[in-house]
Amino acid sequence: MEEETEEDENLPPGEEQGMRDSLLGETPEGAPMPAEVPSHDGREKEVRSRVPKGGFGWVVVLAATWCQGSIFGIQNSFGILYVMLQTEMDGSQQHGMDFKTAWVGALAMGMIFFCSPVVSIFTDRLGCQKTSSGGAALAFIGLLSSSFTKSLGVRYFTYGILFGCGSSFAFQPSLVILGHYFKKHLGLVNGIVAGGGCIFALCMPFLLKTMGTAIGLAHTFQVLSVFMFIQIFLSLTFKPLLPTPVGRSKTQQCLAHTRKYFNMQVFQKKTYRIWACGIATTVLGYFVPYIHLIKFVEQRFKDNTMEWIPLVCIGGASTIGRLVSGKIGDCIPGLKKIYLQVVSFVLLGILSMMLPQCQVFVSVIVVCLCLGLCDGFLISLMSPIAFELVGPMQASQAIGYTMGLMAIPMTAGPPIAGLLRDHFGNYDLAFYLAGIPPLIGALVLLSVPLLHERNLKKTAQLEAGKEKTQDGMVNGELLPGSPVTDALV
């Protein structure tokens, strides 16, 4: 009996137990147990051995590449749609139109981050397949319905809310599902997906510019909705190999997931609180170039017909930055990775301030290439730093809360820049101010590894003090009548 009880205590709760029972063909609860029950370590090895090494998984990789590439290709190329929206409404000369139009793209990007914690619950509860397909369907409806209206207020809902929420629900499961089909080469697979997304980032600005000129904004939205319509069916390949949990009611499972993802335990760590607030501060100006860069180039270089090239440069350089920073980050131990993130934020702020100083188009290209590299470093370092701060068991919650905190400033930045452009007639002050939050956030993040090292020293001193106390007790220093005991009394 003692061995059976001990074995049950080692069993993981919820999903992992249901996964292992289903994969290993164990008997449901209440049924007679077989004569020989494999040990915990044996079951763990057998479950891991059933994860395939490719095969149908490469189809899943293709689907994930299409998902991530199409979603962020459209999101990061909104600067072209931004100009087309104003042209359609003849709003380029109307006061306040830059502020109002910027909300369309800012809401869409902000909703991806804002919905992240909720999407985690849906993914665990319904599975990757249903969550991603439903999200792609919602994004499809949002893009298609945007083509049947010219009202900015309606497009706040159709493009900003529907497409933004749908993108979040479609995108996040595409990250999770890769771990179901790959184990040894998971890093390589993620690199392939990121590299494939680069193709969309390079092609989408040119495609949007060409379609906008040839068929107009309404039909452009309809063509973009086809990308999400295809994703509905591609998401059907996200079939989890690890079954949904069994042995508990749906209500119990829902409550368990709610407690798991909405507990505030990670905020008890001071270093995480500082890091999350620093990240949220820096992204206030993060999305400003993606929305306003095209119009800035058109305004500054009126004879230039290649205004879409800077977005291509940012997208391509960002992909290179993600791949390179992953290798560099592996060589930097512990929380010292934050120093690399600090450098990236400082450069991001300086480069944003340099945009108004560019007097030739080539200089804009150079600045955008550097912006893309910094962007790639920032994105790829988020997860490793979260693991270092809170540990692997709470990393998903930490990332989810951080993305939720990023949503509000990331959404507010572009409209503020549009408001400044409406008031002053140019983007100079908007880009100068967009560079300040990354510099402030970098200073905040700089304190995190220093505070972490101080906490480690305090912990080491406490442990040394305990060991010294224990040694004193052994040596008789704390016996009645000893100097130490008298001093304590």
Side-chain angles (χ1 to χ4, degrees):
M1 285 298 293
E2 291 180 357
E3 293 180 357
E4 292 178 359
T5 303
E6 197 173 330
E7 185 179 14
D8 291 337
E9 290 176 352
N10 290 331
L11 291 177
E15 302 87 29
E16 296 181 13
Q17 179 58 34
M19 169 194 76
R20 290 171 182 152
D21 291 346
S22 300
L23 280 177
L24 299 174
E26 293 192 14
T27 317
E29 186 178 353
M33 293 293 292
E36 295 183 1
V37 180
S39 65
H40 173 72
D41 293 337
R43 287 197 299 270
E44 184 74 20
K45 292 179 180 179
E46 188 171 350
V47 168
R48 291 181 177 180
S49 67
R50 289 175 179 245
V51 177
K53 299 179 180 179
F56 184 74
W58 293 110
V59 178
V60 176
V61 170
L62 175 63
T65 302
W66 181 278
C67 179
Q68 298 183 29
S70 58
I71 287 175
F72 287 101
I74 296 172
Q75 293 276 10
N76 293 340
S77 302
F78 180 78
I80 298 173
L81 296 176
Y82 174 82
V83 175
M84 294 166 64
L85 284 168
Q86 292 193 336
T87 303
E88 183 184 68
M89 301 183 65
D90 296 324
S92 298
Q93 290 77 34
Q94 295 181 21
H95 183 72
M97 284 306 298
D98 288 286
F99 171 73
K100 296 175 183 177
T101 310
W103 277 107
V104 180
L107 281 172
M109 179 60 80
M111 291 307 295
I112 292 182
F113 291 87
F114 185 76
C115 294
S116 178
V118 180
V119 176
S120 298
I121 297 176
F122 274 79
T123 302
D124 283 349
R125 180 65 190 89
L126 300 178
C128 298
Q129 190 180 62
K130 293 180 181 179
T131 304
S132 184
S133 296
L138 187 63
F140 165 72
I141 294 172
L143 287 174
L144 185 63
S145 57
S146 296
S147 67
F148 296 110
T149 181
K150 292 186 178 181
S151 169
L152 276 181
V154 175
R155 280 175 172 154
Y156 290 159
F157 176 72
T158 57
Y159 186 93
I161 304 299
L162 291 183
F163 174 62
C165 287
S167 297
S168 184
F169 276 79
F171 160 69
Q172 202 160 318
S174 70
L175 298 175
V176 176
I177 194 63
L178 296 176
H180 287 247
Y181 288 86
F182 295 90
K183 176 189 171 185
K184 183 178 179 180
H185 302 294
L186 184 58
L188 172 63
V189 168
N190 279 292
I192 292 174
V193 173
C198 175
I199 299 176
F200 286 83
L202 294 174
C203 298
M204 193 63 71
F206 174 75
L207 179 63
L208 289 177
K209 184 66 177 179
T210 303
M211 289 192 301
T213 304
I215 60 179
L217 180 60
H219 293 299
T220 299
F221 275 126
Q222 293 172 3
V223 173
L224 292 178
S225 69
V226 174
F227 283 86
M228 294 295 100
F229 184 75
I230 295 174
Q231 183 58 42
I232 296 175
F233 298 98
L234 290 178
S235 295
L236 297 178
T237 64
F238 294 171
K239 185 178 180 181
L241 296 180
L242 312 180
T244 55
V246 294
R248 293 189 296 175
S249 66
K250 293 182 179 180
T251 303
Q252 290 174 330
Q253 294 175 26
C254 183
L255 290 174
H257 290 312
T258 304
R259 287 194 299 267
K260 176 181 177 182
Y261 289 103
F262 287 95
N263 73 76
M264 309 298 288
Q265 189 176 357
V266 291
F267 287 100
Q268 295 177 3
K269 299 187 177 182
K270 187 176 181 179
T271 50
Y272 171 74
R273 293 199 304 269
I274 296 175
W275 179 72
C277 292
I279 294 292
T281 301
T282 57
V283 296
L284 181 60
Y286 171 82
F287 200 49
V288 170
Y290 286 101
I291 290 184
H292 295 286
L293 186 60
I294 296 297
K295 190 170 182 180
F296 166 76
V297 172
E298 287 184 351
Q299 183 181 5
R300 179 64 62 90
F301 311 101
K302 296 181 180 180
D303 297 332
N304 194 296
T305 59
M306 308 290 284
E307 66 276 1
W308 50 272
I309 288 183
L311 288 181
V312 175
C313 294
I314 292 178
S318 177
T319 303
I320 296 174
R322 296 181 196 186
L323 298 175
V324 173
S325 62
K327 192 68 175 177
I328 296 176
D330 291 338
C331 301
I332 302 177
L335 276 181
K336 291 184 179 180
K337 296 180 179 69
I338 291 184
Y339 292 126
L340 186 59
Q341 200 173 40
V342 168
V343 173
S344 300
F345 275 126
V346 170
L347 291 176
L348 188 69
I350 295 174
L351 291 168
S352 296
M353 295 179 175
M354 288 177 61
L355 281 171
Q357 301 297 323
C358 296
Q359 301 301 322
V360 293
F361 185 65
V362 176
S363 61
V364 176
I365 298 297
V366 174
V367 171
C368 289
L369 287 171
C370 296
L371 277 173
L373 286 173
C374 294
D375 174 76
F377 273 75
L378 297 176
I379 293 175
S380 63
L381 289 173
M382 289 282 291
S383 179
I385 292 175
F387 271 79
E388 295 290 345
L389 284 171
V390 300
M393 298 302 295
Q394 295 179 323
S396 61
Q397 298 172 29
I399 294 172
Y401 282 129
T402 303
M403 293 178 71
L405 290 173
M406 292 168 61
I408 296 177
M410 185 176 286
T411 303
I416 293 174
L419 186 64
L420 292 172
R421 195 270 173 189
D422 289 329
H423 184 75
F424 294 99
N426 58 62
Y427 282 109
D428 290 359
L429 184 60
F431 282 118
Y432 285 139
L433 294 180
I436 295 177
L439 297 178
I440 296 176
L443 292 176
V444 174
L445 294 178
L446 197 60
S447 64
V448 175
L450 300 178
L451 182 61
H452 182 70
E453 289 180 6
R454 190 179 72 177
N455 292 339
L456 290 178
K457 289 181 180 179
K458 285 185 177 180
T459 304
Q461 290 175 357
L462 290 174
E463 291 179 353
K466 290 179 180 179
E467 292 178 359
K468 186 176 180 180
T469 302
Q470 292 175 355
D471 292 341
M473 293 178 64
V474 172
N475 295 330
E477 293 179 359
L478 296 184
L479 293 175
S482 68
V484 178
T485 306
D486 295 339
L488 290 175
V489 175

